[in-house]
Amino acid sequence: MNALDFISSKQLHLGGIDSPSWNLGAQDTGNMIIKATGGGAYKYADILKARLGVSLDKEDEMNCLVAGANFLLKAIRHEAFTHMEGRKEFVQIDQHDLFPFLLVNIGSGVSIIKVDGEGKFQRISGTNVGGGTYWGLGRLLTKCKSFDELLELSQKGDNSNIDMLVGDIYGGMDYSKFGLSASTIASSFGKIISKSEELMDYRPEDISLSLLRMISYNIGQISYLNALRYDLKRIFFGGFFIRGHAYTMDTISFAVHFWSKGQAQAMFLRHEGFLGALGAFMSYEKHGLDDLMAHQLVERFPMGAPYVGGKIHGPPLHDLNEKISWMEKFIQKGTEITAPVPMAPPGTTGMGGFERPSSRGISLRSDSSATLNIGVLHLVPSLEVFPLLADPKKYEPNTIDLLDHSELEYWFTVLSEHMPDLVDKAVASEGGTDDAKRRGEAFAHAFSAHLARLMEEPAAYGKFGLANLLELREECLREFQFRDAYITIKQRENEASLAVLPDLLLELDGMDEEGRLLTLIEGVLAANIFDWGSRACVDLYLKGTIIEIYRMSRKKMHRPWRVDDFDMFKERMSRHREKPSYKRALLFVDNSGADIVLGMLPLARELLRRGTEVILVGNSLPALNDVTANELPEIVAEAAKHCDILRKAAEAGGLLFDAMVDIEDELKENVTSVPLMVVENGCGGPCIDFRQVSSELAAVAKDADLIILEGMGRALHTNLNARFGCDALKLAMVKNQRLAEKLFGGNIYDCLCRFEPVDKV
Ligand SMILES: CC(C)(COP(=O)(O)O)[C@@H](O)C(=O)NCCC(=O)O
Ligand SMILES: [Mn+2]
């Protein structure tokens, strides 16, 4: 009822109060049909019609379940995971090798479905002993008021008080001939028959645990036997009974593992609670979602649910303050529900039965109470897999695995400590108004709540690497309408760097080719120090001007660098004297200011001078002080004022169309240069995931034979281990002590110049 009031008050069924139908005041819902499935589609049809005027179009439950599962497994990265002894491990299913599989839906009863393809499935078996049995018997035998309460209770139980164990029969010994340990359950609830106690004499915790184990093992066993019948290796479990409950998943996994002797694997789905609803949604005709691919979907984790694509769906709010206070309440709520569920002290779960599935600590808690781990899927049809990845299936962008708790803890601290400075910059970027301050505070709350959630459960958002975490921070800023937190800093640094560019170019032009190439690479590495995302660098900026820091950084460029493939690169660059070494180079640029102006642009100029087409690849959206693709043409235009090579190339690449009004006619006629172009990468964070890049980038990449990745985000945090189908040069200064130690046994400010030719030089 509350939900209906809520929907109706905000007219959500009409698309929200800011939809055109709301503005027109015409709330004609006469023809509005919503696809629905399951028992609820029957139960709530009348009331939905009466309250909202919406009719339900009922879809077959089994069809929907299968369609939902197929969609998730094909379209969502790392949708499936295993859960053994409290450890969640994500599994990447190859969408071309998905079928056949067994889908076990555990609702009140259990359906066991063999899925052979899209719309091709068979209900091969089932059992009437399911979630309803657990809840029904549990309610009778304990005083629990809810299913979740019953589950929570089981975590504090000891089933050896209820179940008859092998050890009870054999005087505490194993029945080793059949591999049955003393703690194996011989008979669920069997111990009760030999005692005279009444129900009230048994602990509800123990009863709940025995029940849960009895039912979960039974389902696991029946499922495995069915998998065996059809020679299926993969079993996916879903349905109301599981609802992300770690202990239930462990028990089922254990049963499948035990009976199959490790041959079959129980898997679970991150979004399993949505199978039916998704399937019903998929049944709309012509929604164009049939051929969705994982690379076109971006999962985001907004904290302020009412912000969707910058629009606010919520009660009629009059000004931003109201939105923020609403949001703050929501965030408050979000933080509360991330508080860990109190756990039973270790050892009290004296489990018998199959060897005790030992879930570790807080991972026993149910995910179902935490709403923050469900992302919002954004369809971005223009995203594509980068065509130059050597093997997209093997590609893993993140170098650091945040599922490693010590890593997560470290980065949690780094990002938390960086928050005050980031909020300062963000607030200043929006004029430092009271409104900006409030949003700054709300942003800090939201991002902290995400961090807390992940600390509590590292796998809460699926397979989440450092790149995702850094992007999440940018998404949070955008969610609170900070368009570009470092805009002023970026502009200031661009100006200062452009002012000294002519001198640098003059110096470079006085060098021979070999010396120049080295100076240029040194220049890129040195200028990569301008990184407002690094704590150490931000501290440095308090001590000197941009140019002073740049000079100091240049002076410290002693070779050999920590990773130093320069000679190999130099050799490759001078291989063909008569024709260009490379036809087309993609330069993945990083920071604004000296980094782009005094580092990457001069390197681009060198490549152009040697006859290589250059494409500068910039971020689609701002992230820290990274230069965006939008900002690049203006920077190039300014630089081109001091340099013929850049000017001609930029003209050839169509970059100077508006910017250069004062080009002389003779120059215009004499466009013989190879082009310099700019494309966006499709990213909104400081790293790059090559499984999802802009189609524009994918298109120009097809003819590229060199890629240069610059900066920590793009060449270290991500892609350090990535292999490409063309030559790759990875350039970065390591601006973090721990990372330098961990990756290279080195120190902060060490440099990486890694050259990875496809054919060895
Ligand atoms: C956010 C960054 C990846 C940006 O580095 P960049 O790509 O600009 O070289 C980097 O600054 C970083 O990892 N910072 C956090 C670690 C620290 O403050 O030491
Ligand atoms: Mn950067």
Side-chain angles (χ1 to χ4, degrees):
M1 271 305 160
N2 283 347
L4 286 177
D5 287 344
F6 181 78
I7 293 167
S8 152
S9 76
K10 291 178 191 176
Q11 301 288 298
L12 291 181
H13 56 305
L14 299 173
I17 47 175
D18 43 2
S19 76
S21 56
W22 168 262
N23 292 336
L24 290 170
Q27 289 124 60
D28 179 15
T29 53
N31 298 324
M32 193 174 282
I33 292 171
I34 294 181
K35 297 276 186 189
T37 188
Y42 291 85
K43 195 168 164 190
Y44 300 115
D46 290 344
I47 190 160
L48 277 163
K49 183 78 193 161
R51 291 288 311 277
L52 304 175
V54 169
S55 310
L56 293 187
D57 199 356
K58 300 171 193 70
E59 291 293 325
D60 176 72
E61 193 171 346
M62 212 74 77
N63 270 332
C64 289
L65 277 178
V66 173
N70 283 349
F71 166 78
L72 288 170
L73 286 166
K74 283 191 348 197
I76 314 296
R77 194 165 288 133
H78 295 121
E79 172 64 24
F81 60 90
T82 57
H83 207 290
M84 289 283 271
E85 301 188 349
R87 274 186 72 85
K88 223 181 209 178
E89 233 159 75
F90 292 98
V91 182
Q92 186 53 54
I93 309 278
D94 178 353
Q95 61 164 299
H96 303 293
D97 184 27
L98 170 63
F99 305 112
F101 64 83
L102 201 66
L103 179 63
V104 181
N105 187 57
I106 318 176
S108 302
V110 182
S111 287
I112 300 180
I113 306 157
K114 176 173 177 270
V115 183
D116 291 299
E118 222 52 73
K120 278 198 258 166
F121 64 90
Q122 225 184 315
R123 186 182 188 278
I124 54 168
S125 188
T127 161
N128 50 344
V129 181
T133 319
Y134 175 56
W135 177 210
L137 277 174
R139 206 166 71 84
L140 275 182
L141 298 174
T142 70
K143 293 218 158 33
C144 282
K145 295 276 180 301
S146 75
F147 185 82
D148 282 329
E149 195 187 336
L150 186 66
L151 272 177
E152 291 292 347
L153 211 59
S154 70
Q155 294 180 22
K156 298 177 208 129
D158 176 353
N159 69 317
S160 66
N161 296 326
I162 309 262
D163 294 338
M164 183 187 290
L165 309 181
V166 167
D168 296 327
I169 305 170
Y170 293 97
M173 306 291 281
D174 294 348
Y175 188 8
S176 42
K177 192 172 147 193
F178 292 106
L180 298 173
S181 73
S183 59
T184 305
I185 301 176
S187 167
S188 287
F189 285 79
K191 199 172 263 177
I192 295 175
I193 54 176
S194 57
K195 295 186 177 174
S196 55
E197 281 104 345
E198 297 298 316
L199 178 59
M200 54 193 278
D201 299 320
Y202 290 95
R203 292 172 67 224
E205 291 86 342
D206 301 344
I207 295 174
S208 176
L209 181 63
S210 291
L211 258 182
L212 181 66
R213 301 194 80 193
M214 176 177 91
I215 291 161
S216 303
Y217 283 139
N218 193 54
I219 295 170
Q221 183 172 7
I222 294 174
S223 305
Y224 167 65
L225 291 174
N226 276 292
L228 200 64
R229 227 172 112 202
Y230 291 95
D231 195 23
L232 305 172
K233 293 279 174 288
R234 283 194 292 235
I235 313 176
F236 295 101
F237 289 88
F240 174 81
F241 179 66
I242 295 178
R243 31 197 342 211
H245 200 276
Y247 189 74
T248 312
M249 293 190 282
D250 263 8
T251 313
I252 291 175
S253 301
F254 191 83
V256 171
H257 186 82
F258 181 90
W259 287 111
S260 72
K261 298 195 170 63
Q263 293 305 297
Q265 218 177 14
M267 281 186 273
F268 305 90
L269 304 178
R270 258 193 317 135
H271 299 95
E272 61 93 6
F274 300 89
L275 297 190
L278 263 173
F281 178 66
M282 302 297 289
S283 68
Y284 279 106
E285 275 162 26
K286 295 196 186 77
H287 53 27
L289 297 177
D290 300 344
D291 303 319
L292 268 188
M293 307 287 261
H295 63 259
Q296 295 173 321
L297 291 165
V298 181
E299 191 174 4
R300 300 225 166 91
F301 298 89
M303 191 63 75
Y307 282 79
V308 178
K311 284 192 175 163
I312 293 113
H313 300 277
L317 299 171
H318 304 295
D319 63 22
L320 195 73
N321 285 348
E322 274 187 62
K323 284 174 211 159
I324 298 304
S325 54
W326 193 95
M327 183 110 42
E328 277 165 353
K329 274 185 216 145
F330 181 83
I331 288 161
Q332 191 66 41
K333 200 77 209 139
T335 318
E336 272 166 32
I337 57 177
T338 63
V341 173
M343 294 303 305
T348 56
T349 316
M351 290 183 273
F354 301 92
E355 296 308 330
R356 170 184 177 186
S358 57
S359 282
R360 293 170 312 149
I362 53 174
S363 59
L364 265 178
R365 68 188 296 282
S366 160
D367 291 350
S368 63
S369 63
T371 55
L372 301 181
N373 56 347
I374 298 301
V376 176
L377 277 183
H378 294 251
L379 175 64
V380 191
S382 60
L383 289 179
E384 284 182 33
V385 178
F386 189 58
L388 289 172
L389 274 180
D391 184 352
K393 272 190 207 140
K394 284 201 191 124
Y395 174 74
E396 165 55 52
N398 287 289
T399 310
I400 302 285
D401 185 358
L402 289 186
L403 290 179
D404 173 344
H405 215 267
S406 64
E407 286 297 337
L408 183 61
E409 232 164 87
Y410 174 74
W411 289 100
F412 175 95
T413 314
V414 167
L415 297 188
S416 302
E417 284 175 2
H418 191 222
M419 199 92 81
D421 184 57
L422 178 56
V423 171
D424 272 2
K425 299 286 181 308
V427 171
S429 76
E430 297 275 324
T433 59
D434 284 349
D435 157 50
K437 284 182 195 150
R438 286 182 66 78
R439 284 188 283 130
E441 235 171 76
F443 155 74
H445 270 297
F447 190 55
S448 305
H450 279 301
L451 288 176
R453 175 82 183 101
L454 283 165
M455 276 303 285
E456 185 205 331
E457 204 202 329
Y461 299 167
K463 197 167 185 199
F464 217 67
L466 192 50
N468 308 91
L469 193 58
L470 290 167
E471 185 167 12
L472 179 70
R473 181 169 69 177
E474 300 298 332
E475 283 301 326
C476 268
L477 280 168
R478 287 188 267 278
E479 201 182 328
F480 291 92
Q481 297 175 356
F482 290 107
R483 285 156 294 181
D484 193 348
Y486 287 84
I487 183 81
T488 331
I489 290 172
K490 294 199 292 186
Q491 283 166 351
R492 203 180 61 201
E493 292 190 1
N494 286 344
E495 271 169 37
S497 308
L498 282 162
V500 299
L501 179 67
D503 289 346
L504 174 70
L505 296 183
L506 214 61
E507 194 182 303
L508 287 165
D509 289 344
M511 296 177 177
D512 62 21
E513 214 171 59
E514 206 180 301
R516 201 165 61 221
L517 191 62
L518 176 60
T519 311
L520 284 162
I521 299 294
E522 272 178 4
V524 169
L525 295 171
N528 193 235
I529 201 166
F530 292 98
D531 165 15
W532 283 89
S534 148
R535 177 70 184 269
C537 296
V538 174
D539 289 347
L540 268 185
Y541 309 148
L542 302 172
K543 296 179 192 135
T545 66
I546 297 169
I547 300 306
E548 281 164 1
I549 294 168
Y550 176 63
R551 288 223 175 88
M552 182 272 295
S553 185
R554 282 286 296 260
K555 265 199 207 133
K556 290 196 169 175
M557 280 296 124
H558 305 300
R559 287 186 67 198
W561 299 307
R562 184 60 59 175
V563 176
D564 192 338
D565 294 336
F566 175 75
D567 292 337
M568 214 200 317
F569 179 60
K570 184 184 73 185
E571 183 141 326
R572 178 65 185 84
M573 284 291 280
S574 55
R575 207 199 275 181
H576 306 288
R577 291 260 165 238
E578 63 297 345
K579 60 178 175 117
S581 313
Y582 291 105
K583 190 173 166 297
R584 174 181 283 182
L586 303 180
L587 271 56
F588 290 81
V589 297
D590 181 6
N591 303 317
S592 305
D595 195 334
I596 177 70
V597 177
L598 306 177
M600 289 301 266
L601 263 188
L603 179 62
R605 177 179 179 258
E606 181 67 23
L607 288 161
L608 292 164
R609 171 186 238 158
R610 293 175 185 228
T612 302
E613 275 178 30
V614 174
I615 298 178
L616 300 175
V617 186
N619 253 31
S620 297
L621 292 170
L624 293 162
N625 62 322
D626 289 357
V627 63
T628 64
N630 269 341
E631 293 157 352
L632 278 167
E634 202 181 316
I635 294 172
V636 171
E638 278 305 310
K641 285 182 184 163
H642 310 289
C643 167
D644 269 2
I645 301 172
L646 286 176
R647 180 167 57 209
K648 287 183 187 169
E651 252 182 39
L655 277 181
L656 294 188
F657 198 67
D658 306 320
M660 293 288 288
V661 279
D662 56 346
I663 303 170
E664 295 180 8
D665 285 342
E666 51 172 2
L667 273 173
K668 271 189 183 165
E669 286 154 22
N670 192 18
V671 180
T672 52
S673 170
V674 285
L676 169 66
M677 290 168 276
V678 168
V679 299
E680 60 171 322
N681 58 12
C683 307
C687 301
I688 185 161
D689 178 343
F690 278 109
R691 290 169 303 196
Q692 297 188 294
V693 300
S694 72
S695 47
E696 209 187 336
L697 170 57
V700 295
K702 293 197 175 103
D703 294 324
D705 47 5
L706 173 67
I707 67 171
I708 303 184
L709 292 175
E710 193 224 353
M712 260 171 95
R714 293 165 188 83
L716 279 179
H717 289 327
T718 48
N719 306 310
L720 182 63
N721 306 317
R723 292 285 165 267
F724 297 93
C726 69
D727 289 4
L729 180 66
K730 298 171 183 174
L731 299 171
M733 180 190 271
V734 195
K735 291 145 290 187
N736 176 282
Q737 178 63 31
R738 179 181 150 115
L739 203 68
E741 280 170 29
K742 187 182 164 98
L743 297 180
F744 311 109
N747 283 307
I748 188 163
Y749 306 128
D750 276 354
C751 289
L752 163 96
C753 170
R754 184 185 272 180
F755 182 54
E756 295 165 340
V758 266
D759 312 312
K760 285 266 171 268
V761 183

